Structures are given as structure tokens and as C-alpha cells.
Amino acid sequence: MKKRLTARLLFAIVLGAALSTTMAGPWHAASPNTYGWRLMTPEEREEHQRRMRSFTSYEECKAYQTEHHALMAKRARQAGVLLKPHADSGCERLREQGRFQ
């Protein structure tokens, strides 16, 4: 019985480590962290993520983000939807990860 419990515990630890490694990765655009996510088409979401990952400077990122937020705010007004600002900025996160020179 004790061997079985130890083997299950070991399996759970190994599985947890494997999952955390595969789930870890670069920042990515997603519903919880992208302003106006639900107002974007799947193609726009993909393009947004690609653009966010392409910036080499914080200033480029912030300029794009300001433009993106204005577009999403306009769409939200047209759709009668209230968008809540996110607590953190994708550009800030990318800067924290050392993605900008």
C-alpha cells in the first residue's frame, strides 16, 4: 500500500513538472490579457499576438498598444459594450521579460 502511494505521488510530481514546462512560454495574447479580445476576429487576434511579439522597443509597443486600445474602445462603443482596462500592460510584461533592447 505504501509503495503504491509513493509511486502515485512520484507520478503526480513528474506529471506536474512536465505540464508546467510545456505550458510555460512567452507572453501571448489571450482573453484575460488583451484589451478588446472578444471584439476581435480570430485573424485579428493572431495578428495582434504576432505584432506584440515583433517589437524591439518599448516605445514601438506602446504606440501600437495605444492605437489598438483606441480601435477596441471604438468597437466597444459601437457594440454598446463596456471594456474594463486591464491591470497590467502587455508592453510592461514584455519589458519585464527583457524582450526590448
Side-chain angles (χ1 to χ4, degrees):
M1 177 84 156
K2 190 174 182 181
K3 267 189 175 180
R4 208 180 266 171
L5 209 58
T6 304
R8 285 183 183 174
L9 180 59
L10 182 59
F11 176 76
I13 291 170
V14 171
L15 180 62
L19 285 175
S20 68
T21 302
T22 52
M23 294 177 124
W27 176 90
H28 67 280
S31 177
N33 67 11
T34 302
Y35 187 74
W37 179 264
R38 66 181 190 210
L39 300 171
M40 299 166 72
T41 66
E43 294 79 18
E44 288 173 320
R45 293 172 184 161
E46 190 175 310
E47 176 64 12
H48 175 72
Q49 182 166 308
R50 187 197 64 72
R51 295 241 358 235
M52 288 295 289
R53 287 183 175 174
S54 74
F55 297 118
T56 57
S57 77
Y58 179 77
E59 292 74 23
E60 286 177 312
C61 185
K62 284 304 284 185
Y64 168 74
Q65 188 177 52
T66 299
E67 180 183 308
H68 171 76
H69 284 203
L71 176 60
M72 293 302 109
K74 179 181 176 183
R75 286 185 187 178
R77 280 191 306 276
Q78 290 171 342
V81 174
L82 178 64
L83 287 179
K84 297 178 191 172
H86 291 133
D88 61 346
S89 155
C91 296
E92 294 296 331
R93 279 237 166 129
L94 291 169
R95 181 162 60 177
E96 289 169 7
Q97 293 174 1
R99 297 286 304 268
F100 303 127
Q101 300 169 348

